[in-house]
Amino acid sequence: MAAGAAVRGGRASARPRAAEKPLEYRILVTATMCLLAAGAVMVYSASSARDLLAGHGDGTAYLVRYAINGAIGLAAMHWIARHGLDGVRRATPVLVAIAFVGLLATLVPGLGVEVNGARRWIGAGPLQFQPSELMKLALVLYGVRLLALRSTHTPTLRTVTPVLVTCGLACGLVAVQPDLGTALVIGFTMVALLIAGGVPMRQLALVGGIAIGLVVIFALLEPYRRARLTSFLNPWAHAGGSGFQSVQGQIALGSGGLFGVGLGQSVQKVFYLPEAHTDFILGVIGEELGVAGICGVLFLYGMIAYAGLRAARAAVGRYAKLLAAGITCLFVSQAMLNVFAVLGLAPLTGVPLPFISYGSTNLMVLLAAMGLLLNVAARDRKPLRAVRGGTTRNADQDRDRGGRDGRPRRAGAGRGRRAAG
């Protein structure tokens, strides 16, 4: 019986164990799940009280929608993380075309859904889709694909002109909706991707200067955008008008102190803070959980940035490296733009906080993008492989050397074989 147990134990130990996921993969999964958990709690906290006071159900409407969208996004993330990138590379032109068609459809009366003066959605009722969110990811995939195809020489503005033109057209369509915040996220992400791809900084500075000039002109054309810009410089001087949202966000942050007033105890989210469950959900976090809560959220985004760039550095192949870098920059750009706007360090742009703010299309697209990043992080790291196809002489020497290493050589064996030959 002991011998049988030993044999069974030997067989059990001989079974191959599942390969442990790299550190980057585990960090990305941990940070994403923590952000989703925080998002579910804060979306419910930020939306339930106002819904109950308005008599809209039991206050769980936004939480249920967030959970459904999160489940769909997690399923997409899991599927994409387990499959290869070849299919994504082939489908990139189709995704870009779909995103452009969707952006054009939002501008057509009857197709685009207008909310608060902006046409950013297509669909009807609860089934609405925001094409600009898909465009963010599609442009990253397109830029990575082009830079990877032209890897035989150092990229310049001339070689990446298709990326710049496509990005410019997309940003123009997004800004017309109007959605200047998403256009800025696209611009920042594509600039970071081109820098990672090796485009000289001097050439990008010229394009960046032209882009900044166009953004300023665009911001000054409409009165409400001019009001946002002036209120950003001194929001308290316009607290009853264009600076109301920024002022209320700062009051919420200041009311929280170091550890907050307690989960669910925010006053600003009920009576004063507009869009508390979307654009300004960080203000609710600051009031209820304090500086500690905000630092915790920033730490999770820092984990994603660290693991994403580390995965990009360790990835095999230029396409995988640039893909990981581009998606990481997309997460960081959107998070930082939202944080800066809530803290009063940037004009209000209406950009949701990744994985936390309520937003169906944004949540599902970002989780799909995380699936691509996990796919790159889970790949093998430049393994050492035996060289095959060498000369016959070298192969015979290796076999002879392996035989000598595996057993003692008998005296006179070599001379006997040579004599027999």
Side-chain angles (χ1 to χ4, degrees), residues 40-204:
V41 172
M42 296 313 303
V43 164
Y44 177 70
S45 176
S47 62
S48 59
R50 184 172 293 183
D51 283 353
L52 287 173
L53 291 176
H56 297 159
D58 58 357
T60 61
Y62 285 104
L63 174 62
V64 172
R65 296 175 193 170
Y66 180 92
I68 294 174
N69 297 326
I72 296 173
L74 284 174
M77 182 186 79
H78 179 73
W79 187 87
I80 294 174
R82 293 174 62 89
H83 291 74
L85 299 177
D86 293 336
V88 175
R89 188 183 306 190
R90 290 192 299 267
T92 296
V94 178
L95 292 177
V96 175
I98 292 174
F100 268 112
V101 171
L103 289 178
L104 293 174
T106 59
L107 304 178
V108 178
L111 293 179
V113 179
E114 184 174 350
V115 178
N116 295 330
R119 291 182 175 271
R120 304 177 186 176
W121 300 268
I122 55 176
L127 299 178
Q128 295 183 5
F129 180 76
Q130 192 172 354
S132 59
E133 297 293 338
L134 177 61
M135 179 59 77
K136 291 189 296 188
L137 179 58
L139 284 178
V140 171
L141 295 175
Y142 177 69
V144 170
R145 185 172 184 263
L146 184 70
L147 290 171
L149 288 176
R150 304 184 179 184
S151 60
T152 56
H153 54 275
T154 302
T156 61
L157 284 182
R158 179 175 298 180
T159 59
V160 299
T161 297
V163 176
L164 297 176
V165 173
T166 306
C167 180
L169 291 175
C171 289
L173 290 174
V174 172
V176 168
Q177 291 181 348
D179 189 1
L180 188 58
T182 300
L184 290 176
V185 171
I186 292 174
F188 292 151
T189 303
M190 296 309 295
V191 168
L193 177 61
L194 292 176
I195 292 175
V199 178
M201 292 284 293
R202 181 177 55 187
Q203 299 180 9
L204 286 177

Side-chain angles (χ1 to χ4, degrees), residues 304-330:
I304 291 179
Y306 169 77
L309 295 179
R310 178 167 167 155
R313 182 179 180 182
V316 178
R318 182 173 172 84
Y319 182 84
K321 288 179 178 292
L322 291 175
L323 181 62
I327 292 177
T328 303
C329 293
L330 174 61

Side-chain angles (χ1 to χ4, degrees), residues 116-419:
N116 295 330
R119 291 182 175 271
R120 304 177 186 176
W121 300 268
I122 55 176
L127 299 178
Q128 295 183 5
F129 180 76
Q130 192 172 354
S132 59
E133 297 293 338
L134 177 61
M135 179 59 77
K136 291 189 296 188
L137 179 58
L139 284 178
V140 171
L141 295 175
Y142 177 69
V144 170
R145 185 172 184 263
L146 184 70
L147 290 171
L149 288 176
R150 304 184 179 184
S151 60
T152 56
H153 54 275
T154 302
T156 61
L157 284 182
R158 179 175 298 180
T159 59
V160 299
T161 297
V163 176
L164 297 176
V165 173
T166 306
C167 180
L169 291 175
C171 289
L173 290 174
V174 172
V176 168
Q177 291 181 348
D179 189 1
L180 188 58
T182 300
L184 290 176
V185 171
I186 292 174
F188 292 151
T189 303
M190 296 309 295
V191 168
L193 177 61
L194 292 176
I195 292 175
V199 178
M201 292 284 293
R202 181 177 55 187
Q203 299 180 9
L204 286 177
L206 175 63
V207 177
I210 297 175
I212 292 174
L214 293 176
V215 169
V216 172
I217 294 174
F218 183 80
L220 296 177
L221 288 178
E222 290 290 336
Y224 83 93
R225 286 195 287 264
R226 288 199 302 268
R228 278 191 174 187
L229 188 60
T230 55
S231 63
F232 157 69
L233 300 176
N234 188 9
W236 292 91
H238 308 82
S242 58
F244 177 80
Q245 197 169 8
S246 180
V247 167
Q248 298 305 319
Q250 294 181 28
I251 292 175
L253 293 173
S255 301
L258 186 59
F259 297 106
V261 298
L263 190 62
Q265 303 301 314
S266 170
V267 176
Q268 293 295 114
K269 68 182 181 184
V270 182
F271 302 106
Y272 304 102
L273 191 60
E275 307 297 336
H277 62 294
T278 56
D279 303 344
F280 268 78
I281 198 167
L282 187 68
V284 181
I285 295 175
E287 184 177 3
E288 295 186 350
L289 303 179
V291 176
I294 294 179
C295 290
V297 171
L298 295 180
F299 177 74
L300 292 174
Y301 288 127
M303 290 174 61
I304 291 179
Y306 169 77
L309 295 179
R310 178 167 167 155
R313 182 179 180 182
V316 178
R318 182 173 172 84
Y319 182 84
K321 288 179 178 292
L322 291 175
L323 181 62
I327 292 177
T328 303
C329 293
L330 174 61
F331 293 147
V332 173
S333 298
Q334 182 168 331
M336 290 300 100
L337 194 57
N338 178 277
V339 171
F340 286 171
V342 175
L343 294 180
L345 302 177
L348 300 181
T349 55
V351 175
L353 193 62
F355 303 115
I356 295 182
S357 294
Y358 174 80
S360 57
T361 310
N362 176 71
L363 181 59
M364 288 187 290
V365 169
L366 289 184
L367 285 173
M370 179 57 71
L372 292 172
L373 188 54
L374 291 174
N375 191 308
V376 176
R379 286 174 168 243
D380 293 335
R381 299 296 201 273
K382 301 178 182 178
L384 297 176
R385 297 178 180 177
V387 179
R388 296 181 179 180
T391 62
T392 306
R393 180 180 178 182
N394 291 338
D396 292 340
Q397 289 177 353
D398 291 340
R399 284 196 297 269
D400 183 58
R401 188 179 299 113
R404 291 198 303 268
D405 294 339
R407 63 181 184 274
R409 184 175 179 180
R410 293 176 296 175
R415 290 193 301 271
R417 285 196 297 268
R418 286 195 295 271

